[in-house]
Amino acid sequence: MTFNSNLNLLKAIGRTPCVKLENISKLTGHEVWAKLEFMNPGGSIKDRIAMYMIEKAEREGKIKPGDTIIENSSGNTAMGLAIVCRQKGYKLKIVIRDTTSKEKIKMLEIMGVDVIKVNAALPPEHPDSYNNFAEKYAAENPGVFYIDQHNNLDNNEAHYMSTGPEIWQQMNGRIDYFVAGVGTGGTCTGAGRYLKEQDPGIAVIGVDPVGSIFYDYFKQKKLVKPSRYLIEGLGDEFLIKTAQLEMLDDMIQVTDKQAIEHTFLLVAQEGILSGGSSGANIYGVVTLAKKIRKPSVICTVICDSGYKYLSTVYNDDWLTANNLI
Ligand SMILES: Cc1ncc(COP(=O)(O)O)c(C=O)c1O
């Protein structure tokens, strides 16, 4: 057995396993594969973009160690940034909705991040809302760099440069569909673009929670009024630059309940304890599988670990209070 002895923590980001979901494959009649992104050091796919966006900003001379970085994040980008900032010597401020799972908030506090909780009920146009606070803070405080994962195309590029090529290699070019939830859209469109460049026959399917605006915009170019949903990491209330919906072949809409049911399906069938957005992806895979007749190869992403959601997705009281069981 050979081990890579030239590894530091940042080099341990990426190169995650891509495994066949044996039982879900049997259940759907298609070959279903999943890239296990919870195996990144920060426990999610977002380590990739955190490292890429910081290193790109460094190369462009926009930041240097000692500076302060600010970002709004549902927790995973925040954890990725926390690791990269610790390794490279940046200070980090994270704006987070007060509804985010308390495990994620606690982990960031342990990492020494300045966590700024904002009221999730504030309308998106409010200056102190989740969407506006970080940008405003960076504009008012010189020396603070706003990462802006929702409009920074280096996010998509990170997946184009790493997630996409890894999937292509690991699948040996045998892939018909790539299914991924759209949060910023970085994963789905960045990796999706790379895969389509290798084989234009690959269809890229986005998954969007009911309550987010992406699905209706994709289907009918209509901007609907957003409403509240509970799955963390997916969807948005605005159109954002990184969600390059025009390159998707189709989108599938998922309710909180369907996402949760399929999170538990993933536990029951495969023994994979994931977060709710991965359950949404599995719902996307199962829904797609019912529509396609020819046996196909479908690849999706397990975005993060269930350990981050013991107080929400895996808590009966939370599920009951939110009518999810
Ligand atoms: C848990 C989780 N799943 C999925 C996503 C979506 O990934 P992307 O932003 O690349 O669309 C995110 C993004 O924040 C996330 O935190």
Side-chain angles (χ1 to χ4, degrees), residues 46 74 76 159 181-187 232-234 277 303-304 309:
K46 295 295 191 158
S74 68
N76 280 330
H159 293 290
V182 178
T184 63
T187 308
E232 290 182 33
L234 298 187
S277 70
C303 316
D304 68 356
Y309 306 92

Side-chain angles (χ1 to χ4, degrees), residues 209 229-232 234 254-268 272 274-284 309 311-316 318-320 322-325:
Y229 53 87
L230 298 163
I231 296 303
E232 290 182 33
L234 298 187
V254 60
T255 64
D256 285 332
K257 197 154 197 274
Q258 289 162 334
I260 295 289
E261 279 166 7
H262 288 76
T263 310
F264 282 99
L265 181 83
L266 193 57
V267 178
I272 296 176
S274 75
S277 70
S278 306
N281 286 351
I282 296 298
Y283 174 79
Y309 306 92
S311 68
T312 54
V313 174
Y314 297 101
N315 172 1
D316 284 350
W318 184 86
L319 290 171
T320 307
N322 289 295
N323 293 319
L324 293 170
I325 44 174

